[in-house]
Amino acid sequence: MARPVIAVLNGPNLNLLGERDPSVYGSETLADIEARCAAYADGLGFDVDCRQSNREGELVDMVQDVRHGAGIVINAGAYTHTSVAIRDALVTVTCPVVEVHISNVHARERFRHYSYLSAVVTGVIVGLGPQGYELAIAAVAARASTT
Ligand code: CA2
């Protein structure tokens, strides 16, 4: 039988992880993080569907596409702080959603302190590096309906 699927969605510039700014984002690449997510989810009995886009509308399409799955982990990157469109898409989701930020956005510039997404998701994990994705998968898995 097919296993439940948790979507892991990443936004703009996160495809560059590991290439620049290791003091802020660490040295793991997005491929490393996606492999970590797959291994962690596997241990909990879930598959992952990892996607990344630099385009706001594509992220909206992705959210719509996975909104009835087992759960969503989303790091919308800079769109977190600007996107009413991604927020509106998240409102339509029927599964648990956890917003993740690798860096502690509250310890950074003021414009990163506000998230358009936080009020419409199940929970938020910030500042714990790539481990935040695993913590988000654990939280989603614990709340997922697998029937
Ligand atoms: O801390 C996070 O995960 C962020 O979502 C990352 C976004 C940033 O705009 C948010 O405020 C917080 C930026 C991702 C950019 O990633 C890069 C990775 C390597 C080199 C340059 C950018």
Side-chain angles (χ1 to χ4, degrees):
M1 197 159 112
R3 298 203 303 175
V5 178
I6 297 172
V8 179
L9 309 181
N10 280 289
N13 297 307
L14 288 156
N15 55 313
L16 300 180
L17 284 172
E19 284 185 26
R20 283 181 30 203
D21 292 340
S23 60
V24 181
Y25 299 117
S27 56
E28 289 186 42
T29 65
L30 184 58
D32 294 334
I33 290 172
E34 290 176 345
R36 189 196 252 261
C37 287
Y40 191 80
D42 181 57
L44 298 176
F46 290 78
D47 286 333
V48 288
D49 174 4
C50 297
R51 310 186 193 187
Q52 186 273 335
S53 178
N54 292 324
R55 294 174 184 77
E56 185 177 18
E58 279 185 10
L59 288 160
V60 170
D61 288 341
M62 288 177 188
V63 170
Q64 290 186 11
D65 210 26
V66 301
R67 70 190 157 139
H68 301 311
I72 300 174
V73 173
I74 183 165
N75 182 348
Y79 288 137
T80 302
H81 317 298
T82 63
S83 182
V84 176
I86 295 173
R87 175 192 175 111
D88 286 350
L90 287 170
V91 168
T92 73
V93 164
T94 57
C95 56
V97 183
V98 176
E99 174 186 350
V100 172
H101 297 289
I102 297 169
S103 63
N104 180 355
V105 286
H106 300 292
R108 300 182 65 194
E109 303 95 324
R110 203 168 176 76
F111 65 84
R112 295 185 203 276
H113 296 185
Y114 184 72
S115 164
Y116 277 86
L117 314 185
S118 296
V120 299
V121 299
T122 312
V124 183
I125 294 171
V126 302
L128 300 178
Q131 187 197 12
Y133 288 85
E134 293 175 338
L135 297 171
I137 286 170
V140 161
R143 289 162 179 75
S145 158
T146 53
T147 52

